[in-house]
């Protein structure tokens, strides 16, 4: 619990910080995760701390892509687990894409803690404890994945990912959906679909979009995915940020 008053103008942002700090205290989020969150917050401020139209479009296309996947997977790191555990479990259930814990700063202890944390939020089986494959081109700790999970997936949803690993997944021929508030990051530039939004908004939005897309036919979902233009989405994100920077209201 926190003593942040609900009428505080920065309530949501402060609650998000609190969740990350408590993730560190519980041993599920790395200390580096605090810094990553800080970088994200700075971009969120410039975006206006809301889901802008280009972000909705990317979330809709991403939802269609996961539903169209032959083998979709949701990669979970310590920040995502601390911020939106229940929503990740829900997204996994409604899309049929399993959860795999995949950490940049991997320790066995942290992987197991995250799996337990997700299970406390309703998850069944979670992959990641016994990696038996590796992503080519990465140093060993950072390359560890499960053969039945990320390694053989055609679509990988990585709520928060490092640019290096995003690139390595793309090189393997996978379609990568990344959530990253920084449209200039290597991750955002490389991913098949880059969602420039806060994960605390993006994943709940997708949880609402998936059932609607499931009600449509496959052709419709395919159209949504094919009509999405990632470069234009990133350009729109940059326009919004620069618009906020030059206009004081
Ligand atoms: P890259 O390796 O892709 O060039 P980076 O090194 O700047 O990016 P990292 O430190 O690897 O980034 O990871 C942090 C990234 O995650 C930042 O780009 C930040 O904007 C983003 N981020 C952090 N918290 C959130 C969040 N809650 N929602 C969305 N994005 C976030
Ligand atoms: Mg990085």
């Amino acid at each position: 619990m926190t003593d942040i008053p609900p009428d505080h103008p920065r309530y949501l942002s402060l609650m998000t910080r609190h969740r990350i700090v408590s993730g560190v205290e519980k041993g599920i989020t790395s200390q580096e995760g605090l810094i990553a969150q800080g970088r994200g917050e700075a971009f969120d401020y410039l975006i206006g701390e809301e889901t802008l139209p280009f972000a909705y479009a990317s979330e809709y296309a991403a939802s269609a892509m996961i539903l169209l996947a032959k083998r979709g997977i949701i990669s979970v790191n310590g920040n995502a687990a601390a911020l939106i555990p229940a929503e990740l479990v829900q997204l996994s259930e409604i899309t049929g894409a399993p959860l795999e814990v995949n950490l940049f700063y991997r320790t066995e202890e942290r992987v197991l803690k995250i799996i337990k944390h997700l299970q406390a939020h309703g998850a069944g089986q979670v992959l990641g404890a016994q990696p038996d494959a590796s992503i080519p081109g990465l140093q060993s700790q950072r390359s560890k994945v499960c053969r039945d999970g990320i390694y053989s997936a055609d679509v990988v949803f990585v709520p928060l990912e490092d640019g290096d690993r995003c690139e390595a997944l793309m090189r393997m021929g996978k379609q990568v959906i990344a959530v990253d508030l920084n449209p200039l990051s290597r991750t955002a530039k490389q991913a098949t679909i880059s969602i420039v939004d806060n994960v605390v908004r993006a994943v709940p939005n997708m949880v609402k979009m998936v059932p609607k897309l499931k009600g449509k036919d496959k052709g419709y979902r395919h159209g949504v995915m094919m009509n999405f233009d990632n470069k234009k989405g990133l350009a729109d994100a940059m326009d919004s940020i620069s618009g906020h920077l030059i206009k004081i209201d």
Side-chain angles (χ1 to χ4, degrees), residues 18 20 53 75 96 98-99 107 126 129 132 140 151 167 176 192 197 218 237 239 245-246:
H18 173 75
I20 285 281
S75 175
L99 299 164
T107 66
V126 179
D132 52 359
S140 69
Y151 189 81
E167 189 180 3
V176 177
T192 320
D197 199 3
K218 206 175 165 185
D239 279 350
L245 282 172
I246 51 178

Side-chain angles (χ1 to χ4, degrees), residues 127-188:
L127 299 170
Q130 276 133 6
D132 52 359
S134 53
I135 304 172
L138 293 178
Q139 169 263 336
S140 69
Q141 279 303 309
R142 292 172 48 223
S143 74
K144 288 184 172 175
V145 285
C146 291
R147 189 163 293 278
D148 287 341
I150 292 176
Y151 189 81
S152 54
D154 56 342
V155 173
V156 188
F157 178 55
V158 272
L160 300 163
E161 184 55 290
D162 175 62
D164 217 29
R165 289 204 308 195
C166 179
E167 189 180 3
L169 292 170
M170 294 292 292
R171 268 202 311 266
M172 289 175 84
K174 300 181 189 304
Q175 291 184 298
V176 177
I177 301 163
V179 184
D180 194 327
L181 277 159
N182 176 6
L184 297 168
S185 79
R186 285 174 308 137
T187 304

